[in-house]
Amino acid sequence: MSRIEILNLAGLRHDNRRPFELRSLSCALGVHPQADGSSQVSQGLTTVQAAVFGPREPKQKAGAAHDKANVVVEVGVVPWAQGQGQGRGRTRGDKRLLEIGAAIRQTFEPVIQVGLYPRSEIAVQVQVLQADGGILPTAINAVTLALIDAGIAMHDYVTSVSVGLHLTQALLDLSAPEENDLPSLVVASLPNSGKITLAQMETRLHVDRFEEMLRLGTEACKVIKDDMEQVVKTRTERVVDRMSVATRTVAVEA
């Protein structure tokens, strides 16, 4: 039996969202001054920071590929992360964190144009700052923005969301209590082409519902991409403005 009321009589979830309503999304770029690119993304009460280093010389030259870059992903959780025990007591060697790191790497390897960076390494560091469901989708969205901030060439944005199933009702962007109680699917897609780069299920789903949930997740990814793209455009405009001011200052001094 569910520990929470998934949907009340008004058709609202425990946090008063409608079934297809996404959690609030907040994004920021350039949050890690030592990284080549970085971002912080919050979806609801889940917050993830991603930092990208590279392309750079591989730390382990024996494993370097002569014709492409190696993508290395490391995931950690800060000790104070909260949320249904998801962020407590986990270290970098934790099996769950290793699985998340492997899923992120497999998601991005086909999307990053690794052939442009032979004999190099692109290192991605993911840090979970707050955990309340949807760690993997939030991390994928944060890595996308960090790669863009680092100037890494990609074929498209990668956006991600979780989809759950309550009886016959699909629910978008699950919180921690919903994740704990419902069968769920994590979808990551390339919004411009509609291609799926990740479809991960950790619980059983009815086969006849899978296609509906995949379609719903793909549509939600397009909405998330629009929000993320606006953040990128705003930051780009600010950078251009600062460069223009610097250029004018140099011209005056000359």
Side-chain angles (χ1 to χ4, degrees), residues 118-131:
R119 297 179 296 279
S120 65
E121 173 185 275
I122 298 173
V124 179
Q125 293 182 0
V126 175
Q127 192 80 352
V128 181
L129 305 180
Q130 188 80 8

Side-chain angles (χ1 to χ4, degrees), residues 192-209:
N192 289 335
S193 65
K195 292 181 179 179
I196 306 297
T197 186
L198 176 71
Q200 183 182 88
M201 295 182 295
E202 296 186 354
T203 50
R204 293 183 179 180
L205 288 174
H206 295 290
V207 175
D208 56 351
R209 299 291 178 185

Side-chain angles (χ1 to χ4, degrees), residues 19-93:
F20 295 165
E21 186 175 351
L22 299 171
R23 294 180 292 180
S24 60
L25 177 67
S26 175
C27 307
L29 298 178
V31 298
H32 192 312
Q34 282 76 44
D36 294 301
S38 61
S39 74
Q40 183 169 304
V41 173
S42 295
Q43 291 181 223
L45 298 178
T46 296
T47 300
V48 176
Q49 188 175 105
V52 172
F53 300 87
R56 66 186 184 185
E57 185 175 346
K59 290 185 176 180
Q60 298 180 350
K61 295 184 179 180
H66 74 280
D67 59 344
K68 64 178 183 179
N70 284 338
V71 180
V72 180
V73 180
E74 187 178 66
V75 181
V77 178
V78 296
W80 58 85
Q82 301 293 319
Q84 304 299 317
Q86 294 184 68
R88 298 172 186 167
R90 295 193 182 278
T91 62
R92 291 190 184 276

